[in-house]
């Protein structure tokens, strides 16, 4: 039945009606807030290209997490900047490394908050690559052992979920085997299953001091042009034991989120990355875009595309907005 009997504007007339027929509802329950933990005490240093995001020492991260929990955000994901970097990323799997100390402190102070740890070597290697480098190449299989050691040490420290973001082949299986062999059969794996070689990670590399010293990440991260390949990546990670899969970045890859949602039945995450955040912040500062409205619109779009879980630097601001 068409116009004039059908008038779609009828249910758009007032906010009460619009809210009543809304198809996608953002909820604080889906948010994960990323944190960058640095050595020292009392450190709270803003990241130049990410206004409102800070490098935090462990004590400051604890304060931040109390605030995050008070806003009902269920989870944080931790990135670490170590005291020193070397060829073998020793700081990544040091029992007393920056992440291990942060996880212990956070689980002690705010036990109800889920702690997810990013598992990758790029913040810990002197060359800034996500794996072992031999003859100028990032070598896959020898890297798996280091990733498994890293995930295991995060789990020993108390992490609820480990999140491999390195994009080596076979890392989910290697991590699952290592965790199970040490009795950690209940620790979940959130895999960055479809992670693209994206220019939108620029600000993160400033925050995490993890830019590669030579070359780039295109030998392991995905080609932005591919979506069928993303489904193969997800299928392999599911087979290897991933509990949650993620697509990253989010807004430029909504079609990938949708495709993964339609093909798989496990929870799907999406990472609204540093560059997505920086774009909106910059345009907001220039007065070119309304920051609050574009923040809520992009998060809603990511959810509408099919994400159950959204990692976002806007988590606190969006939680406050949703609460009022
Ligand atoms: C580590 C990692 C990166 C991000 C998350 N984990 C950087 C990269 O792959 O270069 C990016 C997150 C963001 O941009 O917000 N490998």
């Amino acid at each position: 039945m068409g116009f004039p009997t059908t008038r779609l504007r009828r249910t758009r007339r007032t906010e009460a009606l619009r809210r009543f027929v809304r198809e996608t509802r953002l909820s604080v329950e889906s948010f994960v807030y990323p944190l960058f933990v640095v050595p020292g005490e009392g450190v709270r240093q803003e990241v130049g290209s990410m206004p409102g995001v800070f490098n935090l020492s462990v004590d400051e991260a604890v304060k931040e997490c109390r605030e995050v929990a008070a806003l009902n955000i269920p989870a944080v994901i931790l990135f670490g900047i170590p005291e020193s970097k070397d060829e073998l990323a020793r700081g990544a799997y040091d029992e007393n490394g920056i992440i291990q100390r942060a996880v212990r402190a956070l689980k002690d102070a705010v036990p109800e908050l889920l702690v997810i740890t990013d598992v990758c070597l790029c913040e810990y290697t002197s060359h800034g690559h996500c794996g072992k480098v031999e003859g100028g190449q990032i070598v896959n299989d020898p890297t798996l052992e280091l990733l498994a050691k890293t995930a295991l040490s995060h789990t020993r420290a108390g992490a609820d979920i480990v999140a491999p973001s390195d994009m080596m082949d076979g890392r989910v299986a290697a991590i699952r085997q290592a965790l199970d062999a040490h009795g950690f059969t209940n620790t979940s794996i959130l895999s960055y299953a479809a992670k693209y070689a994206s220019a939108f990670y620029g600000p993160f590399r400033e925050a995490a001091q993890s830019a590669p010293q030579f070359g780039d990440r295109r030998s392991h991260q995905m080609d932005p042009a591919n979506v069928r390949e993303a489904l193969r990546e997800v299928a392999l990670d599911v087979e290897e034991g991933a509990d949650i899969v993620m697509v990253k970045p989010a807004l430029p890859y909504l079609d990938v989120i949708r495709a993964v949602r339609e093909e798989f039945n496990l929870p799907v995450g999406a990472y609204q990355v540093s560059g997505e955040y920086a774009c909106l912040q910059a345009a907001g500062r220039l007065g070119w875009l309304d920051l609050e409205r574009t923040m809520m619109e992009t998060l809603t779009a990511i959810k509408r595309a099919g994400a159950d879980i959204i990692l976002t630097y806007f988590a606190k601001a969006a939680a406050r907005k949703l609460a009022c």
Side-chain angles (χ1 to χ4, degrees):
M1 214 182 301
F3 177 83
T5 316
T6 302
R7 290 178 183 268
L8 292 180
R9 289 184 59 191
R10 273 186 204 121
T11 48
R12 291 178 201 150
R13 208 162 40 82
T14 64
E15 181 53 21
L17 283 163
R18 290 190 291 272
R19 197 183 306 142
F20 195 52
V21 300
R22 191 155 290 150
E23 298 175 30
T24 305
R25 288 174 208 280
L26 263 189
S27 145
V28 67
E29 305 298 338
S30 23
F31 294 155
V32 178
Y33 189 56
L35 291 181
F36 298 99
V37 192
V38 296
E41 238 191 271
V43 182
R44 192 175 184 83
Q45 199 184 356
E46 196 166 30
V47 180
S49 49
M50 300 176 76
V53 174
F54 297 83
N55 282 343
L56 301 169
S57 50
V58 172
D59 56 320
E60 289 291 324
V62 167
K63 285 186 205 159
E64 188 81 10
C65 284
R66 289 209 173 94
E67 195 188 328
V68 167
L71 286 165
N72 291 321
I73 295 167
V76 289
I77 181 162
L78 304 184
F79 299 94
I81 293 97
E83 276 87 0
S84 63
K85 306 183 186 226
D86 60 42
E87 293 263 310
L88 290 177
R90 289 191 178 82
Y93 41 88
D94 179 348
E95 294 304 328
N96 227 358
I98 186 74
I99 288 296
Q100 292 76 0
R101 297 200 308 272
V103 172
R104 284 194 290 267
L106 292 178
K107 287 314 292 186
D108 191 45
V110 201
E112 71 278 15
L113 187 68
L114 289 172
V115 173
I116 307 172
T117 57
D118 183 85
V119 176
C120 193
L121 306 182
C122 62
E123 293 112 272
Y124 305 89
T125 49
S126 40
H127 43 66
H129 281 295
C130 308
K132 256 190 185 170
V133 172
E134 288 169 15
Q137 302 291 317
I138 302 156
V139 288
N140 196 88
D141 300 10
T143 298
L144 299 181
E145 187 199 334
L146 302 184
L147 292 168
K149 269 165 81 167
T150 303
L152 183 59
S153 79
H154 291 176
T155 304
R156 282 199 177 112
D160 299 290
I161 301 174
V162 291
S165 67
D166 53 283
M167 289 300 277
M168 296 299 121
D169 287 322
R171 80 275 171 72
V172 173
I175 290 171
R176 187 72 272 159
Q177 273 163 26
L179 296 184
D180 289 356
H182 291 84
F184 295 112
T185 51
N186 287 327
T187 303
S188 305
I189 299 177
L190 184 172
S191 93
Y192 287 68
K195 176 174 175 179
Y196 288 86
S198 171
F200 283 94
Y201 307 150
F204 173 96
R205 293 182 189 168
E206 180 198 340
Q209 296 159 28
S210 66
Q213 299 302 303
F214 62 90
D216 55 39
R217 306 217 199 289
R218 278 182 276 196
S219 80
H220 49 294
Q221 299 180 349
M222 283 185 57
D223 183 337
N226 296 354
V227 59
R228 292 189 295 270
E229 190 188 359
L231 298 176
R232 296 184 70 198
E233 280 286 1
V234 173
L236 284 169
D237 284 4
V238 171
E239 222 176 271
E240 291 178 27
D243 301 287
I244 304 170
V245 291
M246 188 153 77
V247 174
K248 174 187 174 191
L251 202 65
Y253 296 86
L254 293 181
D255 58 321
V256 182
I257 298 173
R258 165 58 48 192
V260 171
R261 169 75 295 154
E262 281 176 0
E263 189 138 332
F264 298 91
N265 288 321
L266 67 177
V268 175
Y271 198 146
Q272 182 177 49
V273 300
S274 56
E276 298 179 66
Y277 177 83
C279 286
L280 298 191
Q281 286 285 352
R285 289 188 157 203
L286 285 166
W288 290 357
L289 286 176
D290 178 327
L291 178 60
E292 193 179 272
R293 288 188 56 203
T294 49
M295 164 181 85
M296 296 310 272
E297 185 175 333
T298 54
L299 291 169
T300 302
I302 294 164
K303 182 100 195 258
R304 191 194 64 232
D308 305 295
I309 295 165
I310 306 176
L311 286 71
T312 173
Y313 302 96
F314 286 123
K316 289 199 301 175
R320 283 196 197 98
K321 176 73 189 156
L322 287 170
C324 65

